Amino acid sequence: MLAVREGHSSIVEILLAEPGIDVNRRDVNGSTALHLACRYGRVDLVQQLLVHPGGLYCLEWQDKWGETPLLTATRKGHLLCVEHLLQVPGIHLATRVRKTMVAW
């Protein structure tokens, strides 16, 4: 997660090559590495994570704010990440509305 947060794609590549790496591990906020890559607009890391076996499992996972990686990328305005995620077969566009939203 630190390598993703800091944008070190070469380190992410090395880590993803390690047997037994848990690409879907969550941090204290319930975010996966894919959530973080989408939060910071790192389409290169999104691509790396989705290629990894098991990387597709967390596409629908929500963090503690109820956001999927797709919703995070959309909210942050990272359109290249959004485009890449929308190319994944079977991705669902339905997302949960965040409980913290203020009524207009």
Side-chain angles (χ1 to χ4, degrees):
M1 296 231 187
L2 180 60
V4 170
R5 187 176 293 119
E6 297 296 322
H8 297 298
S9 59
S10 58
I11 294 173
V12 171
E13 184 177 350
I14 291 167
L15 291 170
L16 290 176
E18 286 296 311
I21 190 79
D22 184 2
V23 71
N24 296 315
R25 188 174 177 120
R26 294 178 183 234
D27 65 12
V28 297
N29 294 316
S31 298
T32 63
L34 186 57
H35 278 95
L36 296 177
C38 290
R39 183 173 300 140
Y40 297 114
R42 295 299 308 255
V43 70
D44 57 332
L45 297 177
V46 169
Q47 292 170 336
Q48 283 180 295
L49 293 164
L50 291 177
V51 169
H52 186 275
L56 294 176
Y57 292 118
C58 65
L59 280 171
E60 302 298 324
W61 289 6
Q62 297 175 352
D63 59 18
K64 77 174 189 178
W65 299 283
E67 291 188 358
T68 62
L70 177 59
L71 182 56
T72 298
T74 303
R75 183 177 57 78
K76 291 289 197 171
H78 299 304
L79 298 181
L80 291 177
C81 291
V82 171
E83 285 180 21
H84 194 74
L85 290 171
L86 289 176
Q87 293 175 10
V88 175
I91 190 163
H92 297 105
L93 296 179
T95 56
R96 194 174 109 199
V97 176
R98 296 191 309 160
K99 292 179 183 179
T100 58
M101 291 184 69
V102 177
W104 295 90

